[in-house]
Amino acid sequence: MGLLSRKVTCNSHGQDSSYFLGWQEYEKNPYDEVKNPKGIIQMGLAENQLCFDLLESWLAKNPDAVSFKREEQSIFKELALFQDYHGLPAFKKALVDFMAEIRGNQVSFDTDHLVLTAGATSANETLMFCLAEKGDAILLPTPYYPGFDRDLKWRTGAEIVPIQCSSSNGFQITESALEAAYQEAQRKNLRVKGVLVTNPSNPLGTTMSRNELDLLVNFVTDKEIHLISDEIYSGTVFSSPAFVSIMEVLKDRKLENTQVWERVHVVYSLSKDLGLPGFRVGAIYSNDPIVVAAATKMSSFGLVSSQTQYLLSAMLSDKKFTKEYISKNHKRLQKRQNKLVSGLEKAGISCLESNAGLFCWVDMRHLLSSNTFEAEMELWKRIVYDVKLNISPGSSCHCTEPGWFRVCFANMSEDTLKLAMQRLKSFVSSITIDNQTHQDLKNMRKKNRTKWVFRLSFQSFHDREQGER
Amino acid sequence: MLSSKASSNCHGQDSLYFLGWQVYEKNPFHEVENPTGIIQMGLAENQLSFDLVESWLRKNPDVMGLKNKDGESVFRDLALFQDYHGMPAFKNELVEYMAKIGGNKVKFDPNNLVLAAGATSANETLIFCLADPGDAILLPTPSYAGFDRDLKWRTGVEIVPIHCSSSNGFRISMFALEEAYERAQKLDFKVKGVLITNPSNPLGTTMTTDELQSLITFAIDKDIHLISDEVFSGTVFDSPSFISIMEAAMDSNLKRNTDVLSRIHIVYSLSKDLGLPGFRVGMIYSNNQTVMSAATKMSSFGLVSSQTQYLLSYMLANKKFTSNYMKRNQKRLKKRKEMLVSGLKKSGINCLKSNAGLFCWVDMRHLLCSNTFEAETDLWKKILCEVGLNISPGSSFHCSQPGWFRVCFANMNQSTLQVALRRIKDFVERSSFNYQQIMASLSRKLISNWVRKLSSADREEQER
């Protein structure tokens, strides 16, 4: 039988990770309010399901956008034939305007620098193909999105070297962590091509501070490497501090005509803010014309359906709609996040303070039987199989400290979230009782041991006294 | 600081195929607005049957509006649907449609189908699954110019051509196959498979059962894969009818080799028959579960928009529509091809006999000033810039013989094709008139030289 490629036989696709395994378990026994109220609640999927009503209402008012019509004229033929990898001009214009609007119009984007791709998955891989190859490495702060192992490494042959971040400073990137990662890559004989950050962060749900962004710009300038800023959650920033894009930092520091300007690339997508992962809309934004040229040609391998480009160009061109959507989306996300945080609090569980994203980074270290990843796995399995909540363990995000979990809040109804919190509360109480019983037992044994040791030493003292006499 | 892929030109887009396209874009023909512009005959698109699709769309506004049969919105479900296994309803319809194209001689299993964003994505993904950097795939020439990008660029895999010639209508001979295999070995490449396009682009011909079975036998013998790119299978408008590689593999002799089906893979797309390249619908069909599993995960890099999957699943589910479409589309393609062939014949230009595709493989060898690729490029430039037709030179398809061109006929209306044919006729007449003029003046020169020589000889005689 003809041999297959190494890519097929290895497991570099990363899909044996618990992130995907939990998903599989959920699929076997999915929760349904009516049909399967005891099923597993999906809290491992970072989807935004809170604003579909706004999208549906817009669709109802704008039937032409789905009927291949422009000003009542059929443009079906034009769309059916449109496969230009430069993308539909009207859509790119609407998209860059939307991206600017999300950033409070502090920056503007040029459609000539934008490349459309079938989702951010495709955008990230394409960018990697343009910047790195076998023998090269990209530095990534941990914890990071499990899918990156597949998206950045699998077919490109590039390596990921983690920038270790810790809870001691809220998992922020430090200069020493950056340097350490760089040295680590060199030790492995890998050529560092760049740093990739997700801002706002997945799984942390935090936006990067100006300090961190400045640090990154300094670092990539000094090392003469690239900086990729995956900003797919930029539209989900629901409370302060406001989102600061890497482009804004470059602009503020007047770095537009310097070398580092062309080494900064942004990835965006409509899957998170607009909640449209099924439509496969992603984009690469780069100031390097060679990268734009190469990425444009590569986008042939994952173009966005013209049918979808047209629908979304109409939607995003409606500025009244986008303004209302962005505002309502933020409000609803904030409200929902608050519900999760307070629900967890009632269960004695705290989260990393966050202002963005569709999830919280939850601290369950105190529920581990030991400060190990084995204990984290044990806890995770109990939560998936017994508590029936599919949450994502920190190890699947390459977190260096056991005990952290990513819990999504925007992909279910309020009632379902309530139920999830109740289940968690009961679980934690039962562990606490168990732990209490366990602790009581431990205390008792300790007491008994102490008594016995005391008796022994008293005895030996007595014996010694006897001996010495 | 960029990868070698970004800075190389391995994307193949410096080829004349793409350059002609660029020149056309600067001065595109329009019946009213730019009647002297360049006519695009280099794009293999099917624009002949949009009315049929549009009529179906008009009757199904709900589907376009993302509503189900009960008028309820399915927007939310579609917006969230990113399962790389693809929409089950859509895959079910696709396999039935594929079977229908092959006259229902084979049944396809939707579980063996992986969706991709167009055949471009499907082909690349398949190569990622079957070959490693430094391996080689054998490809018959002439073949689609885009393969240089799709199969080689990011995969690092090599293409070794199987040289076919006009002496036997460019059919793949066992001799040519073996020769290509040996050449690959001499170059130290590990051959992983053969990729054929059936019906052929740019030839417009279908392969016979014998040819297909010889290929399968070759693949078994060398322990390699066989990829059959069947994107044009729905454009077969004349006999012989289309035979899929799967049908050929059903032969009992071949089936004795139990793993034969695990080395055969099909690529298909809705860009050619249905004329929907903008919607990015491609697919890989394979009985090899390992390939299926890997290709499914890889399809994450190019999933089909759920909005599009939904629309097309309904369209293909309408069997009355698909039957009617296939019949009428084929009739129109046949008629249009015959118009091109007869028009060219009036200009003294022949085509390879074809029964499929959206183009003809045209023989302009007699118009070359020499039997070289330089002469072919000269002629191509003249036809592009002076005659105003963007046709594709054989060299851009890696044809081993100069003088052949691919000319598309289904991407324009009838009157535009007539304009194109008139322009060719004028060009050929001008060329032969010029040729006659040149020949006439040449002969006059020769005669006057001869006469002069003769008369000087006389004078000498007289002077003696």
Side-chain angles (χ1 to χ4, degrees), chain B residues 216-257:
Chain B
I216 296 173
T217 308
F218 179 79
I220 295 171
D221 179 49
K222 301 285 193 245
D223 193 19
I224 60 178
H225 294 274
L226 183 53
I227 302 173
S228 181
D229 183 337
E230 301 184 351
V231 294
F232 289 99
S233 49
T235 69
V236 178
F237 49 74
D238 216 341
S239 60
S241 53
F242 173 67
I243 297 167
S244 167
I245 190 79
M246 256 345 139
E247 190 189 329
M250 293 292 143
D251 176 272
S252 50
N253 282 330
L254 290 172
K255 270 176 105 179
R256 247 184 257 136
N257 186 303

Side-chain angles (χ1 to χ4, degrees), chain A residues 1-2 5-6 15 49 52 56 66 74 77 80 82 85 122 129-130 133 226 277-278 301 305-308, chain B residues 1 3-4 13 47 50 54 64 73 75-76 79 81 84 121 128-129 132 223 262 277-278 301 305-308:
Chain A
M1 174 51 227
S5 70
R6 284 189 292 271
Q15 281 185 217
Q49 295 191 23
F52 282 130
E56 283 177 305
V66 284
S74 170
K77 186 172 143 150
F82 188 84
Y85 55 28
S122 180
F129 268 123
C130 290
E133 50 210 339
H226 297 272
F301 300 111
S305 168
S306 58
Q307 179 193 16
T308 301
Chain B
M1 248 338 234
S3 70
S4 55
Q13 281 185 218
Q47 296 191 25
F50 281 129
E54 282 185 284
M64 280 195 293
S73 171
F75 173 77
R76 206 189 132 108
F81 187 85
Y84 57 27
S121 179
F128 268 125
C129 289
D132 286 309
D223 193 19
S262 60
F301 300 112
S305 168
S306 56
Q307 180 194 11
T308 302

Side-chain angles (χ1 to χ4, degrees), chain A residues 1-9 13 15 20 23 27 45 47-49 52 55-56 59 65-68 74-77 79-85 118 121-122 125-126 128-133 136 150-152 154-156 191-194 223-226 263 265 271-272 275-280 288 290-291 293-295 297-309 311 315 411, chain B residues 1-7 11 13-14 18 21 25 43 45-47 50 53-54 57 61 63-66 73-84 117 120-121 124-125 127-133 135 149-151 153-155 190 192 223-225 259 262-263 265 271-272 274-280 288 290-291 293-295 297-309 311:
Chain A
M1 174 51 227
L3 286 169
L4 301 177
S5 70
R6 284 189 292 271
K7 286 173 186 62
V8 163
T9 41
H13 49 72
Q15 281 185 217
F20 294 101
W23 204 339
E27 299 270 308
L45 211 47
E47 282 175 353
N48 181 1
Q49 295 191 23
F52 282 130
L55 296 166
E56 283 177 305
L59 274 177
V66 284
S67 322
F68 304 104
S74 170
I75 52 164
F76 173 74
K77 186 172 143 150
L79 290 175
L81 291 172
F82 188 84
Q83 54 172 334
D84 183 355
Y85 55 28
T121 301
S122 180
E125 193 201 38
T126 293
M128 284 310 291
F129 268 123
C130 290
L131 305 179
E133 50 210 339
D136 295 338
R150 172 197 62 197
D151 301 352
L152 309 180
W154 191 17
R155 307 192 306 179
T156 64
R191 193 165 60 143
V192 177
K193 280 305 196 67
K223 302 283 193 238
E224 288 180 72
I225 59 180
H226 297 272
R263 286 203 306 270
H265 322 278
S271 302
K272 304 299 175 184
L276 305 172
F279 287 5
R280 312 316 302 148
D288 182 342
I290 302 178
V291 171
K297 294 180 180 74
M298 285 190 189
S299 69
S300 304
F301 300 111
L303 295 174
V304 181
S305 168
S306 58
Q307 179 193 16
T308 301
Q309 290 193 53
L311 166 62
M315 190 186 280
N411 65 312
Chain B
M1 248 338 234
L2 301 179
S3 70
S4 55
K5 287 174 187 62
S7 25
H11 47 70
Q13 281 185 218
D14 296 330
F18 293 100
W21 204 340
E25 296 270 307
L43 211 47
E45 282 173 354
N46 180 8
Q47 296 191 25
F50 281 129
V53 178
E54 282 185 284
L57 284 172
V63 186
M64 280 195 293
L66 308 179
S73 171
V74 293
F75 173 77
R76 206 189 132 108
D77 289 336
L78 292 179
L80 292 172
F81 187 85
Q82 54 172 334
D83 183 354
Y84 57 27
T120 300
S121 179
E124 194 201 36
T125 293
I127 299 298
F128 268 125
C129 289
L130 303 180
D132 286 309
D135 290 342
R149 173 196 62 196
D150 301 353
L151 310 182
W153 190 18
R154 307 191 309 179
T155 61
K190 185 165 177 209
K192 279 308 196 62
D223 193 19
I224 60 178
H225 294 274
D259 70 0
S262 60
R263 59 175 83 245
H265 320 282
S271 303
K272 304 298 176 185
L274 283 184
L276 306 172
F279 288 5
R280 314 315 301 147
N288 185 321
T290 314
V291 171
S293 168
K297 294 181 179 73
M298 285 190 189
S299 71
S300 303
F301 300 112
L303 294 174
V304 181
S305 168
S306 56
Q307 180 194 11
T308 302
Q309 292 193 51
L311 176 70

Side-chain angles (χ1 to χ4, degrees), chain B residues 104-339:
Chain B
N104 288 311
K105 305 262 181 53
V106 185
K107 199 163 173 336
F108 294 97
D109 182 349
N111 292 319
N112 290 349
L113 195 74
V114 177
L115 300 180
T120 300
S121 179
N123 276 317
E124 194 201 36
T125 293
L126 207 39
I127 299 298
F128 268 125
C129 289
L130 303 180
D132 286 309
D135 290 342
I137 298 285
L138 308 183
L139 227 70
T141 66
S143 57
Y144 167 53
F147 279 147
D148 289 311
R149 173 196 62 196
D150 301 353
L151 310 182
K152 288 172 38 169
W153 190 18
R154 307 191 309 179
T155 61
V157 171
E158 290 297 333
I159 292 176
V160 171
I162 304 164
H163 293 302
C164 300
S165 92
S166 59
S167 58
N168 72 338
F170 295 96
R171 301 216 164 254
I172 304 172
S173 66
M174 285 316 293
F175 175 78
L177 260 173
E178 285 288 349
E179 193 271 324
Y181 188 86
E182 267 152 48
R183 207 175 341 114
Q185 304 233 283
K186 276 205 195 92
L187 291 166
D188 252 337
F189 292 138
K190 185 165 177 209
V191 176
K192 279 308 196 62
V194 178
L195 190 151
I196 55 165
T197 309
N198 177 31
S200 163
N201 175 15
L203 305 176
T205 52
T206 48
M207 294 177 88
T208 62
T209 308
D210 280 342
E211 282 176 295
L212 293 168
Q213 288 179 344
S214 301
L215 280 164
I216 296 173
T217 308
F218 179 79
I220 295 171
D221 179 49
K222 301 285 193 245
D223 193 19
I224 60 178
H225 294 274
L226 183 53
I227 302 173
S228 181
D229 183 337
E230 301 184 351
V231 294
F232 289 99
S233 49
T235 69
V236 178
F237 49 74
D238 216 341
S239 60
S241 53
F242 173 67
I243 297 167
S244 167
I245 190 79
M246 256 345 139
E247 190 189 329
M250 293 292 143
D251 176 272
S252 50
N253 282 330
L254 290 172
K255 270 176 105 179
R256 247 184 257 136
N257 186 303
T258 48
D259 70 0
V260 67
L261 287 184
S262 60
R263 59 175 83 245
I264 295 175
H265 320 282
I266 296 178
V267 168
Y268 182 59
S269 131
L270 300 185
S271 303
K272 304 298 176 185
D273 354 6
L274 283 184
L276 306 172
F279 288 5
R280 314 315 301 147
V281 181
M283 59 215 82
I284 299 168
Y285 187 89
S286 175
N287 292 297
N288 185 321
Q289 293 314 310
T290 314
V291 171
M292 276 290 98
S293 168
T296 302
K297 294 181 179 73
M298 285 190 189
S299 71
S300 303
F301 300 112
L303 294 174
V304 181
S305 168
S306 56
Q307 180 194 11
T308 302
Q309 292 193 51
Y310 185 70
L311 176 70
L312 298 177
S313 67
Y314 269 90
M315 194 168 85
L316 297 182
N318 187 326
K319 304 304 175 196
K320 202 161 153 239
F321 167 78
T322 55
S323 295
N324 181 46
Y325 183 92
M326 283 169 81
K327 213 167 76 187
R328 293 176 74 179
N329 183 43
Q330 285 164 16
K331 267 206 185 90
R332 294 174 184 187
L333 287 171
K334 183 171 179 188
K335 189 165 168 227
R336 189 57 71 81
K337 174 227 145 182
E338 278 165 359
M339 193 178 149

Side-chain angles (χ1 to χ4, degrees), chain A residues 387-451:
Chain A
V387 189
K388 302 230 176 23
L389 302 177
N390 179 34
I391 63 178
S392 310
S395 53
S396 69
C397 301
H398 301 282
C399 187
T400 43
E401 298 170 22
W404 291 88
F405 290 78
R406 189 190 79 168
V407 180
C408 299
F409 56 72
N411 65 312
M412 66 198 73
S413 71
E414 216 174 298
D415 287 337
T416 309
L417 181 58
K418 232 179 178 165
L419 174 62
M421 292 299 97
Q422 275 161 15
R423 286 186 188 177
L424 202 51
K425 190 158 185 282
S426 314
F427 170 69
V428 171
S429 311
S430 70
I431 294 188
T432 315
I433 290 172
D434 279 350
N435 280 353
Q436 197 55 50
T437 316
H438 185 69
Q439 197 61 41
D440 286 344
L441 271 169
K442 264 174 102 176
N443 287 346
M444 226 168 64
R445 285 198 203 109
K446 204 173 172 191
K447 245 190 195 158
N448 290 341
R449 214 168 30 241
T450 316
K451 275 195 194 144

